[in-house]
Amino acid sequence: MARLFTEPKLIVASHNKGKLVEIADLLTRFEVETVGADALGLPEPEETGTTFIANAELKALAAAMTAGLPALSDDSGLAVDALDGAPGIYSARWAETANGRDFDFAMHKIEMALAQKAQTQGGDVARSARFVCALSLAWPDGHVESFEGTVEGHLVWPMRGKNGFGYDPIFLPEGGDLTFGEMNPEAKHAISHRADAFAQLVAACFADRVA
Ligand code: IMP
């Protein structure tokens, strides 16, 4: 049985404004007040974990224990089967260039790695992939509840669509005709890895507040 969240206030342990707004929006129906890690001047811990959940937990625990308030954190990325799960927890790092993050560059890197793999194997290579999102809710006493959401799909090439962010233009969700880059945001958010993880979190920790 997961621990229920009964407090009125929650830190969103992210320094990313977009995520902060998205999570605050998702929590408004539970009448939870959210505050960003930046607003509290909390440092951003190094993501030294080897799994999505390990990274989400270390960020949530660091914030909760430093600030003395419960904290929610996430870690996400794209896992490509033929690349043994890469870029995975390094999804943001694959986009690093001398001039900042460039996801066109990161998507080309994935396509090149798949082509290289096909060449060494002497044939076609599987293009199955999934987006993964880990969500961790931590309390100041060190207790933590974690959930992992996924959305399965295939990689397309060339890139398609200008919506979304990151790797969205090459990700075709299972059973769909449009990439995440072509879908409207509401349609993506209804089936995304973040929505899946959030639904699990709500069912487990906000069960008493569900209308
Ligand atoms: P994080 O901020 O450390 O969780 O990094 C996640 C990275 O994974 C992002 O920078 C994106 O590149 C990628 N990613 C995670 N979720 C999505 C998504 O919904 N669409 C596209 N890319 C995503």
Side-chain angles (χ1 to χ4, degrees):
M1 180 80 180
R3 184 186 284 187
L4 288 175
F5 178 82
T6 55
E7 294 80 350
K9 194 167 166 179
L10 181 66
I11 301 170
V12 179
S14 170
H15 294 260
N16 176 325
K17 262 234 161 67
K19 276 188 194 171
L20 198 67
V21 171
E22 194 178 316
I23 293 175
D25 276 357
L26 289 164
L27 288 172
T28 46
R29 69 185 164 113
F30 300 112
E31 291 172 2
V32 177
E33 184 192 341
T34 54
V35 53
D38 269 344
L40 293 175
L42 297 174
E44 205 168 356
E46 218 188 312
E47 296 185 15
T48 52
T50 55
T51 62
F52 291 108
I53 285 190
N55 281 331
E57 287 190 347
L58 71 86
K59 288 184 276 187
L61 279 168
M65 292 169 93
T66 307
L69 279 175
L72 182 66
S73 182
D74 84 327
D75 197 52
S76 57
L78 177 71
V80 182
D81 289 329
L83 304 181
D84 303 318
I89 57 168
Y90 304 110
S91 292
R93 265 170 263 182
W94 269 43
E96 294 296 350
T97 73
N99 303 315
R101 283 188 189 159
D102 178 346
F103 282 96
D104 265 26
F105 169 71
M107 288 185 273
H108 275 95
K109 223 154 113 175
I110 289 182
E111 196 53 29
M112 270 165 46
L114 286 173
Q116 210 160 36
K117 185 103 185 186
Q119 202 169 35
T120 23
Q121 272 182 202
D124 283 347
V125 76
R127 299 186 64 89
S128 54
R130 71 197 49 75
F131 274 120
V132 182
C133 173
L135 268 183
S136 293
L137 176 58
W139 282 262
D141 67 355
H143 184 84
V144 59
E145 298 285 352
S146 292
F147 308 90
E148 194 169 271
T150 53
V151 55
E152 300 286 334
H154 281 85
L155 300 185
V156 298
W157 195 259
M159 305 169 199
R160 286 166 36 189
K162 297 261 181 248
N163 295 339
F165 67 98
Y167 298 92
D168 280 344
I170 56 169
F171 187 80
L172 187 69
E174 213 162 75
D177 300 320
L178 301 178
T179 66
F180 270 5
E182 293 170 315
M183 287 167 78
N184 66 48
E186 293 74 34
K188 176 190 165 185
H189 294 156
I191 60 164
S192 79
H193 46 315
R194 240 176 300 283
D196 183 18
F198 204 80
Q200 293 179 47
L201 167 80
V202 165
C205 300
F206 292 79
D208 60 332
R209 301 188 187 212
V210 178

